[in-house]
Amino acid sequence: MAGRYKIFLRLLESWPVDTTKKGRDLGQHIRKKITEAFPMGEASTVNVEECEKVYLSLKKICENHYVNKYPRRYSSSASGLTHEQCAGISSTDFLTEFSNKRRLFNWF
């Protein structure tokens, strides 16, 4: 089981951290789940098959496997916004500001 814990730690070293997501970052969530799955570190007992499935899935996400396999033809989304604009809109600061203004004007 010790090897499983180490491969997850190596994967987390290369996992990108999105500082604009403050508490909503996928990398932070995965780190928390790995800590819960391996409470005693290398000495933890885990389901090897399930562990391998999760590791391979996370590795594909981290390495942008499907982005590279199926490249996009357009730089905008269905909304017409670019990747950078979508990232800005989904940042925690923007969502907090939007929520505050929505309450101010009693929207929704």
Side-chain angles (χ1 to χ4, degrees):
M1 298 316 141
R4 304 285 178 225
Y5 181 66
K6 286 183 181 180
I7 63 170
F8 274 104
L9 291 181
R10 267 188 255 121
L11 179 67
L12 287 178
E13 288 173 3
S14 63
W15 196 273
V17 175
D18 188 349
T19 57
T20 66
K21 297 290 193 254
K22 298 177 189 165
R24 301 179 306 114
D25 181 42
L26 180 60
Q28 290 174 335
H29 177 74
I30 293 169
R31 284 173 175 79
K32 179 182 171 193
K33 290 296 185 180
I34 290 174
T35 302
E36 291 172 0
F38 295 94
M40 298 184 307
E42 294 181 15
S44 300
T45 304
V46 294
N47 179 338
V48 177
E49 290 177 13
E50 185 66 25
C51 192
E52 189 66 22
K53 285 181 189 178
V54 170
Y55 172 76
L56 291 174
S57 296
L58 291 175
K59 184 177 177 185
K60 284 182 178 181
I61 294 170
C62 185
E63 294 175 348
N64 289 323
H65 175 80
Y66 293 105
V67 170
N68 297 329
K69 187 173 180 178
Y70 304 106
R72 295 179 59 181
R73 289 187 271 174
Y74 306 105
S75 62
S76 65
S77 63
S79 65
L81 301 175
T82 64
H83 170 72
E84 291 79 20
Q85 291 168 325
C86 288
I89 288 173
S90 65
S91 72
T92 301
D93 293 338
F94 179 85
L95 292 174
T96 302
E97 185 69 27
F98 180 75
S99 178
N100 291 339
K101 286 185 179 182
R102 188 182 71 181
R103 276 187 242 132
L104 180 67
F105 294 108
N106 295 322
W107 293 358
F108 304 107

